[in-house]
Amino acid sequence: MAASRGGRQPQNDGYRTLSLSGHVGFGSLPDQLVKKSIKQGFYFNILCIGETGSGKSTLINSLFNTSFDDPVSTHFLPNVRLRAQTYELQENNVLLKLTIVNTVGFGDQINKEDSYQPIVDYIDAQFEAYLQEELKIKRSLFSYHDTRIHVCLYFISPTGHSLKTLDLLTMKSLDSKVNIIPIIGKADSISKTELQKFKNKIMSELVSNGVHIYQFPTDDETVSKINTIMNGHLPFAVVGSTEEVKIGNKMVRARQYPWGIVQVENENHCDFVKLREMLISTNMEDLREQTHARHYELYRRCRLEEMGFRDIGPENKPVRLPCSKSYADRETICHSSASVERLLVFHIE
């Protein structure tokens, strides 16, 4: 026996905790997972919602320190269109397949009543595509290009007053389908005092209208402190720029005005650094997990129920898929082996 009787610990939830008398090797599992993940690469999909000219493209360029080829949008589209573009980025041997989905023409129509519906349909379509892949007999989820939206950056115009009706309707229709992070775009257009009042007003309106935005997780003690603080800074007030200005002896990304310079990465000027740290460095994996475990699971459950699938049958018994005779025979053999194993353990003890 690898573990002596003296090394056994009290049972927890039906399982015994045993101590090891020597090296086994499964302690390297995290390293194996890291190597496998790096080799496979990662998917991350961002949905940018905001009116034309709200600074979406400039901010995305600033966040990822590159220039994405996003064509200029017009204000005269008859309806909202979604444009998805996928790029491969690499940093420190980590490959990221980044998809940016832009809402072209959002808020530009005179009748804005159904402006959010194409966005809802797009998100559902990505869930449906993943579900159909899952339901295939021969699945290839390992190599599947996952296009499910992991985060929605919702750009709010810096009016300094309150949220527009369209903003509330859109976020309310999306909050059960995607992780929403509200952002005040071009935040250098209002004063600091007005900005703080505007932030408070936005959060108050979101709460009073029952809109649930993404909260940075606080259950992991390694990031709980910083995430708690950052939750108090929402919505982030950001400024983006791809232009560099010389300040002192170094070049920094900034926006230059006749009255002064707004530095993108100066936390006294805007929340750009906070957004980048929270979105990319700290919580990117949580956003991916929440998309799969919460939003996709909700969609999947509703769709399977529509198809007639149930966990509980008419007699309140668990529903099981019918199995073939050969499978039933294998199951019997497994049960027999388990019984022999239990008898062997009892004899040893």
Side-chain angles (χ1 to χ4, degrees), residues 34-170:
V34 168
K35 291 177 182 177
K36 183 178 179 181
S37 297
I38 290 176
K39 182 178 179 181
Q40 182 183 0
F42 300 88
Y43 290 103
F44 193 61
N45 308 318
I46 301 176
L47 170 64
C48 298
I49 301 179
E51 298 177 357
T52 305
S54 58
K56 301 186 295 295
S57 299
T58 303
L59 180 69
I60 292 296
N61 289 341
S62 301
L63 281 172
F64 290 94
N65 256 331
T66 189
S67 181
F68 299 105
D69 50 344
D70 188 28
V72 178
S73 303
T74 175
H75 285 272
F76 304 105
L77 292 175
N79 48 42
V80 179
R81 300 175 187 172
L82 282 87
R83 182 170 58 217
Q85 294 175 293
T86 301
Y87 308 88
E88 283 193 357
L89 308 177
Q90 188 164 338
E91 182 182 43
N92 298 331
N93 295 324
V94 176
L95 178 66
L96 178 68
K97 292 182 180 178
L98 175 70
T99 298
I100 300 168
V101 183
N102 197 3
T103 51
V104 183
F106 180 79
D108 289 343
Q109 296 74 34
I110 295 175
N111 182 6
K112 300 178 176 62
E113 185 176 352
D114 297 323
S115 291
Y116 59 85
Q117 194 57 49
I119 304 172
V120 173
D121 294 341
Y122 180 88
I123 295 173
D124 284 346
Q126 311 320 304
F127 284 151
E128 183 66 24
Y130 191 89
L131 176 62
Q132 292 301 324
E133 183 65 31
E134 264 191 340
L135 294 177
K136 287 181 180 178
I137 294 174
K138 293 183 178 180
R139 303 186 297 179
S140 56
L141 290 174
F142 179 79
S143 59
Y144 177 76
H145 182 185
D146 187 0
T147 57
R148 295 173 297 174
I149 299 298
H150 298 122
V151 64
C152 167
L153 299 181
Y154 195 97
F155 287 73
I156 299 167
S157 298
T159 62
H161 301 296
S162 61
L163 287 169
K164 298 177 181 179
T165 303
L166 178 60
D167 295 329
L168 289 171
L169 286 173
T170 303

Side-chain angles (χ1 to χ4, degrees), residues 213-308:
I213 62 173
Y214 175 73
Q215 293 288 305
F216 304 118
T218 57
D219 52 348
D220 183 349
E221 62 180 16
T222 60
V223 295
S224 61
K225 185 176 180 180
I226 185 64
N227 277 354
T228 300
I229 294 171
M230 290 300 116
N231 280 329
H233 283 281
L234 291 170
F236 291 131
V238 298
V239 176
S241 177
T242 55
E243 297 179 2
E244 291 191 335
V245 176
K246 188 173 183 179
I247 298 180
N249 294 322
K250 63 178 181 177
M251 301 296 290
V252 297
R253 283 184 297 166
R255 299 187 74 87
Q256 191 164 16
Y257 298 98
W259 46 263
I261 296 173
V262 178
Q263 298 176 45
V264 171
E265 298 186 45
N266 187 329
E267 293 193 58
N268 292 321
H269 292 185
C270 71
D271 296 332
F272 173 84
V273 172
K274 295 182 178 68
L275 171 63
R276 186 178 60 191
E277 290 296 315
M278 291 295 99
L279 176 67
I280 301 173
S281 301
T282 306
N283 298 299
M284 181 181 279
E285 183 56 29
D286 185 71
L287 287 162
R288 285 157 39 93
E289 288 179 4
Q290 287 293 314
T291 297
H292 183 77
R294 180 184 169 200
H295 300 299
Y296 172 68
E297 280 300 314
L298 176 60
Y299 179 87
R300 177 180 177 274
R301 186 183 73 199
C302 293
R303 284 288 286 122
L304 292 180
E305 287 176 351
E306 288 176 6
M307 296 177 189

Side-chain angles (χ1 to χ4, degrees), residues 49 119-120 123 152 170-178 180:
I49 301 179
I119 304 172
V120 173
I123 295 173
C152 167
T170 303
M171 283 191 272
K172 184 65 177 176
S173 65
L174 295 178
D175 65 358
S176 63
K177 299 176 179 293
V178 68
I180 300 174

